[in-house]
PDB file of all heavy atoms in Angstrom:
ATOM      1  N   ALA A  36     168.690  38.584  90.517  1.00  0.00           N
ATOM      2  CA  ALA A  36     168.780  37.437  89.574  1.00  0.00           C
ATOM      3  C   ALA A  36     167.394  36.833  89.373  1.00  0.00           C
ATOM      4  O   ALA A  36     167.092  36.410  88.291  1.00  0.00           O
ATOM      5  CB  ALA A  36     169.765  36.391  90.244  1.00  0.00           C
ATOM      6  N   ALA A  37     166.563  36.773  90.404  1.00  0.00           N
ATOM      7  CA  ALA A  37     165.235  36.271  90.320  1.00  0.00           C
ATOM      8  C   ALA A  37     164.430  37.156  89.301  1.00  0.00           C
ATOM      9  O   ALA A  37     163.642  36.623  88.412  1.00  0.00           O
ATOM     10  CB  ALA A  37     164.536  36.121  91.625  1.00  0.00           C
ATOM     11  N   VAL A  38     164.524  38.481  89.502  1.00  0.00           N
ATOM     12  CA  VAL A  38     163.846  39.343  88.674  1.00  0.00           C
ATOM     13  C   VAL A  38     164.359  39.174  87.154  1.00  0.00           C
ATOM     14  O   VAL A  38     163.560  39.218  86.232  1.00  0.00           O
ATOM     15  CB  VAL A  38     164.061  40.869  89.095  1.00  0.00           C
ATOM     16  CG1 VAL A  38     163.452  41.826  88.107  1.00  0.00           C
ATOM     17  CG2 VAL A  38     163.329  41.043  90.496  1.00  0.00           C
ATOM     18  N   THR A  39     165.646  39.010  87.018  1.00  0.00           N
ATOM     19  CA  THR A  39     166.200  38.719  85.664  1.00  0.00           C
ATOM     20  C   THR A  39     165.568  37.563  84.978  1.00  0.00           C
ATOM     21  O   THR A  39     165.260  37.567  83.871  1.00  0.00           O
ATOM     22  CB  THR A  39     167.716  38.557  85.753  1.00  0.00           C
ATOM     23  OG1 THR A  39     168.403  39.729  86.258  1.00  0.00           O
ATOM     24  CG2 THR A  39     168.257  38.114  84.434  1.00  0.00           C
ATOM     25  N   LEU A  40     165.235  36.407  85.750  1.00  0.00           N
ATOM     26  CA  LEU A  40     164.659  35.232  85.238  1.00  0.00           C
ATOM     27  C   LEU A  40     163.267  35.669  84.764  1.00  0.00           C
ATOM     28  O   LEU A  40     162.839  35.231  83.669  1.00  0.00           O
ATOM     29  CB  LEU A  40     164.637  34.122  86.181  1.00  0.00           C
ATOM     30  CG  LEU A  40     165.959  33.454  86.554  1.00  0.00           C
ATOM     31  CD1 LEU A  40     165.622  32.160  87.491  1.00  0.00           C
ATOM     32  CD2 LEU A  40     166.687  33.143  85.246  1.00  0.00           C
ATOM     33  N   ALA A  41     162.530  36.383  85.554  1.00  0.00           N
ATOM     34  CA  ALA A  41     161.252  36.802  85.165  1.00  0.00           C
ATOM     35  C   ALA A  41     161.111  37.584  83.943  1.00  0.00           C
ATOM     36  O   ALA A  41     160.318  37.383  83.030  1.00  0.00           O
ATOM     37  CB  ALA A  41     160.438  37.533  86.345  1.00  0.00           C
ATOM     38  N   GLU A  42     162.065  38.538  83.856  1.00  0.00           N
ATOM     39  CA  GLU A  42     162.133  39.461  82.621  1.00  0.00           C
ATOM     40  C   GLU A  42     162.553  38.653  81.408  1.00  0.00           C
ATOM     41  O   GLU A  42     162.180  39.055  80.282  1.00  0.00           O
ATOM     42  CB  GLU A  42     163.069  40.667  82.873  1.00  0.00           C
ATOM     43  CG  GLU A  42     162.585  41.539  83.957  1.00  0.00           C
ATOM     44  CD  GLU A  42     163.506  42.620  84.351  1.00  0.00           C
ATOM     45  OE1 GLU A  42     164.809  42.379  84.096  1.00  0.00           O
ATOM     46  OE2 GLU A  42     163.114  43.741  85.034  1.00  0.00           O
ATOM     47  N   ALA A  43     163.246  37.584  81.585  1.00  0.00           N
ATOM     48  CA  ALA A  43     163.728  36.721  80.407  1.00  0.00           C
ATOM     49  C   ALA A  43     162.621  35.856  79.835  1.00  0.00           C
ATOM     50  O   ALA A  43     162.786  35.178  78.831  1.00  0.00           O
ATOM     51  CB  ALA A  43     164.967  35.938  80.824  1.00  0.00           C
ATOM     52  N   GLY A  44     161.536  35.795  80.593  1.00  0.00           N
ATOM     53  CA  GLY A  44     160.412  34.944  80.180  1.00  0.00           C
ATOM     54  C   GLY A  44     160.115  33.582  80.911  1.00  0.00           C
ATOM     55  O   GLY A  44     159.265  32.800  80.532  1.00  0.00           O
ATOM     56  N   VAL A  45     160.764  33.478  82.099  1.00  0.00           N
ATOM     57  CA  VAL A  45     160.511  32.273  82.966  1.00  0.00           C
ATOM     58  C   VAL A  45     159.068  32.484  83.489  1.00  0.00           C
ATOM     59  O   VAL A  45     158.731  33.527  83.787  1.00  0.00           O
ATOM     60  CB  VAL A  45     161.526  32.140  84.072  1.00  0.00           C
ATOM     61  CG1 VAL A  45     161.109  31.218  85.070  1.00  0.00           C
ATOM     62  CG2 VAL A  45     162.907  31.835  83.387  1.00  0.00           C
ATOM     63  N   ASP A  46     158.304  31.362  83.539  1.00  0.00           N
ATOM     64  CA  ASP A  46     156.893  31.383  83.924  1.00  0.00           C
ATOM     65  C   ASP A  46     156.703  31.365  85.479  1.00  0.00           C
ATOM     66  O   ASP A  46     155.741  31.939  85.926  1.00  0.00           O
ATOM     67  CB  ASP A  46     156.129  30.243  83.307  1.00  0.00           C
ATOM     68  CG  ASP A  46     156.146  30.314  81.760  1.00  0.00           C
ATOM     69  OD1 ASP A  46     155.502  31.180  81.241  1.00  0.00           O
ATOM     70  OD2 ASP A  46     157.001  29.565  81.076  1.00  0.00           O
ATOM     71  N   ILE A  47     157.585  30.588  86.216  1.00  0.00           N
ATOM     72  CA  ILE A  47     157.412  30.411  87.647  1.00  0.00           C
ATOM     73  C   ILE A  47     158.799  30.484  88.195  1.00  0.00           C
ATOM     74  O   ILE A  47     159.747  29.852  87.617  1.00  0.00           O
ATOM     75  CB  ILE A  47     156.734  29.013  87.937  1.00  0.00           C
ATOM     76  CG1 ILE A  47     155.280  29.048  87.360  1.00  0.00           C
ATOM     77  CG2 ILE A  47     156.713  28.924  89.524  1.00  0.00           C
ATOM     78  CD1 ILE A  47     154.638  27.682  87.363  1.00  0.00           C
ATOM     79  N   LEU A  48     158.951  31.172  89.304  1.00  0.00           N
ATOM     80  CA  LEU A  48     160.268  31.166  89.980  1.00  0.00           C
ATOM     81  C   LEU A  48     160.233  30.201  91.155  1.00  0.00           C
ATOM     82  O   LEU A  48     159.208  30.060  91.947  1.00  0.00           O
ATOM     83  CB  LEU A  48     160.504  32.566  90.578  1.00  0.00           C
ATOM     84  CG  LEU A  48     160.854  33.586  89.488  1.00  0.00           C
ATOM     85  CD1 LEU A  48     160.907  35.013  90.065  1.00  0.00           C
ATOM     86  CD2 LEU A  48     162.009  33.286  88.788  1.00  0.00           C
ATOM     87  N   GLU A  49     161.327  29.675  91.362  1.00  0.00           N
ATOM     88  CA  GLU A  49     161.538  28.656  92.488  1.00  0.00           C
ATOM     89  C   GLU A  49     162.656  29.099  93.334  1.00  0.00           C
ATOM     90  O   GLU A  49     163.903  29.007  92.724  1.00  0.00           O
ATOM     91  CB  GLU A  49     161.728  27.242  92.034  1.00  0.00           C
ATOM     92  CG  GLU A  49     162.016  26.089  92.913  1.00  0.00           C
ATOM     93  CD  GLU A  49     162.305  24.785  92.261  1.00  0.00           C
ATOM     94  OE1 GLU A  49     161.732  24.600  91.089  1.00  0.00           O
ATOM     95  OE2 GLU A  49     163.103  24.093  92.864  1.00  0.00           O
ATOM     96  N   LEU A  50     162.609  29.662  94.434  1.00  0.00           N
ATOM     97  CA  LEU A  50     163.730  30.235  95.169  1.00  0.00           C
ATOM     98  C   LEU A  50     164.041  29.311  96.426  1.00  0.00           C
ATOM     99  O   LEU A  50     163.106  28.933  97.091  1.00  0.00           O
ATOM    100  CB  LEU A  50     163.333  31.653  95.707  1.00  0.00           C
ATOM    101  CG  LEU A  50     162.952  32.621  94.574  1.00  0.00           C
ATOM    102  CD1 LEU A  50     162.722  34.019  95.283  1.00  0.00           C
ATOM    103  CD2 LEU A  50     164.054  32.723  93.540  1.00  0.00           C
ATOM    104  N   GLY A  51     165.307  29.026  96.622  1.00  0.00           N
ATOM    105  CA  GLY A  51     165.673  28.049  97.637  1.00  0.00           C
ATOM    106  C   GLY A  51     166.460  28.686  98.674  1.00  0.00           C
ATOM    107  O   GLY A  51     167.521  29.097  98.509  1.00  0.00           O
ATOM    108  N   PRO A  52     165.871  28.713  99.871  1.00  0.00           N
ATOM    109  CA  PRO A  52     166.757  29.080 101.072  1.00  0.00           C
ATOM    110  C   PRO A  52     167.848  28.115 101.281  1.00  0.00           C
ATOM    111  O   PRO A  52     167.703  26.956 101.172  1.00  0.00           O
ATOM    112  CB  PRO A  52     165.758  29.046 102.271  1.00  0.00           C
ATOM    113  CG  PRO A  52     164.453  28.965 101.682  1.00  0.00           C
ATOM    114  CD  PRO A  52     164.602  28.258 100.333  1.00  0.00           C
ATOM    115  N   PRO A  53     169.199  28.572 101.565  1.00  0.00           N
ATOM    116  CA  PRO A  53     170.232  27.634 101.817  1.00  0.00           C
ATOM    117  C   PRO A  53     169.944  26.789 102.975  1.00  0.00           C
ATOM    118  O   PRO A  53     169.364  27.206 103.874  1.00  0.00           O
ATOM    119  CB  PRO A  53     171.386  28.587 101.998  1.00  0.00           C
ATOM    120  CG  PRO A  53     170.906  29.974 101.424  1.00  0.00           C
ATOM    121  CD  PRO A  53     169.596  30.008 101.545  1.00  0.00           C
ATOM    122  N   TYR A  54     170.456  25.576 102.898  1.00  0.00           N
ATOM    123  CA  TYR A  54     170.400  24.657 104.057  1.00  0.00           C
ATOM    124  C   TYR A  54     171.562  23.885 104.240  1.00  0.00           C
ATOM    125  O   TYR A  54     172.301  23.620 103.255  1.00  0.00           O
ATOM    126  CB  TYR A  54     169.230  23.701 103.662  1.00  0.00           C
ATOM    127  CG  TYR A  54     168.730  22.699 104.703  1.00  0.00           C
ATOM    128  CD1 TYR A  54     168.536  23.225 106.068  1.00  0.00           C
ATOM    129  CD2 TYR A  54     168.761  21.440 104.586  1.00  0.00           C
ATOM    130  CE1 TYR A  54     168.150  22.294 107.034  1.00  0.00           C
ATOM    131  CE2 TYR A  54     168.404  20.445 105.462  1.00  0.00           C
ATOM    132  CZ  TYR A  54     168.094  20.918 106.825  1.00  0.00           C
ATOM    133  OH  TYR A  54     167.687  20.025 107.775  1.00  0.00           O
ATOM    134  N   SER A  55     171.914  23.645 105.417  1.00  0.00           N
ATOM    135  CA  SER A  55     173.249  23.093 105.817  1.00  0.00           C
ATOM    136  C   SER A  55     173.450  21.545 105.454  1.00  0.00           C
ATOM    137  O   SER A  55     174.594  21.007 105.317  1.00  0.00           O
ATOM    138  CB  SER A  55     173.590  23.223 107.273  1.00  0.00           C
ATOM    139  OG  SER A  55     172.522  22.626 108.036  1.00  0.00           O
ATOM    140  N   ASP A  56     172.317  20.860 105.189  1.00  0.00           N
ATOM    141  CA  ASP A  56     172.370  19.422 104.799  1.00  0.00           C
ATOM    142  C   ASP A  56     171.443  19.132 103.649  1.00  0.00           C
ATOM    143  O   ASP A  56     170.446  18.480 103.664  1.00  0.00           O
ATOM    144  CB  ASP A  56     171.833  18.582 105.983  1.00  0.00           C
ATOM    145  CG  ASP A  56     172.047  17.141 105.816  1.00  0.00           C
ATOM    146  OD1 ASP A  56     172.976  16.730 104.957  1.00  0.00           O
ATOM    147  OD2 ASP A  56     171.343  16.394 106.438  1.00  0.00           O
ATOM    148  N   PRO A  57     171.948  19.666 102.469  1.00  0.00           N
ATOM    149  CA  PRO A  57     171.065  19.630 101.272  1.00  0.00           C
ATOM    150  C   PRO A  57     171.141  18.231 100.487  1.00  0.00           C
ATOM    151  O   PRO A  57     171.901  18.072  99.577  1.00  0.00           O
ATOM    152  CB  PRO A  57     171.520  20.723 100.290  1.00  0.00           C
ATOM    153  CG  PRO A  57     173.003  20.743 100.722  1.00  0.00           C
ATOM    154  CD  PRO A  57     173.122  20.348 102.197  1.00  0.00           C
ATOM    155  N   VAL A  58     170.326  17.349 100.945  1.00  0.00           N
ATOM    156  CA  VAL A  58     170.563  15.844 100.489  1.00  0.00           C
ATOM    157  C   VAL A  58     170.141  15.794  99.025  1.00  0.00           C
ATOM    158  O   VAL A  58     170.632  14.786  98.466  1.00  0.00           O
ATOM    159  CB  VAL A  58     169.578  14.981 101.342  1.00  0.00           C
ATOM    160  CG1 VAL A  58     170.025  14.889 102.787  1.00  0.00           C
ATOM    161  CG2 VAL A  58     168.253  15.348 101.282  1.00  0.00           C
ATOM    162  N   MET A  59     169.475  16.765  98.454  1.00  0.00           N
ATOM    163  CA  MET A  59     169.014  16.567  97.064  1.00  0.00           C
ATOM    164  C   MET A  59     169.885  17.308  96.081  1.00  0.00           C
ATOM    165  O   MET A  59     169.691  17.206  94.874  1.00  0.00           O
ATOM    166  CB  MET A  59     167.516  16.951  96.992  1.00  0.00           C
ATOM    167  CG  MET A  59     166.791  16.775  95.656  1.00  0.00           C
ATOM    168  SD  MET A  59     165.120  17.197  95.662  1.00  0.00           S
ATOM    169  CE  MET A  59     164.853  17.466  93.857  1.00  0.00           C
ATOM    170  N   ASP A  60     170.689  18.206  96.640  1.00  0.00           N
ATOM    171  CA  ASP A  60     171.364  19.222  95.699  1.00  0.00           C
ATOM    172  C   ASP A  60     172.671  18.625  95.282  1.00  0.00           C
ATOM    173  O   ASP A  60     173.446  18.046  95.885  1.00  0.00           O
ATOM    174  CB  ASP A  60     171.622  20.567  96.591  1.00  0.00           C
ATOM    175  CG  ASP A  60     170.371  21.228  96.903  1.00  0.00           C
ATOM    176  OD1 ASP A  60     169.299  21.037  96.319  1.00  0.00           O
ATOM    177  OD2 ASP A  60     170.497  22.046  97.852  1.00  0.00           O
ATOM    178  N   GLY A  61     172.936  18.972  93.968  1.00  0.00           N
ATOM    179  CA  GLY A  61     174.193  18.671  93.345  1.00  0.00           C
ATOM    180  C   GLY A  61     175.247  19.541  93.725  1.00  0.00           C
ATOM    181  O   GLY A  61     174.998  20.581  94.416  1.00  0.00           O
ATOM    182  N   PRO A  62     176.499  19.438  93.226  1.00  0.00           N
ATOM    183  CA  PRO A  62     177.593  20.185  93.651  1.00  0.00           C
ATOM    184  C   PRO A  62     177.588  21.662  93.208  1.00  0.00           C
ATOM    185  O   PRO A  62     177.943  22.429  94.025  1.00  0.00           O
ATOM    186  CB  PRO A  62     178.813  19.417  92.866  1.00  0.00           C
ATOM    187  CG  PRO A  62     178.274  18.669  91.850  1.00  0.00           C
ATOM    188  CD  PRO A  62     176.949  18.238  92.290  1.00  0.00           C
TER     189      PRO A  62
END
Side-chain angles (χ1 to χ4, degrees):
V38 173
T39 295
L40 290 188
E42 292 175 343
V45 169
D46 298 284
I47 298 168
L48 292 171
E49 177 185 330
L50 302 184
Y54 186 53
S55 58
D56 187 24
V58 295
M59 187 180 163
D60 296 340

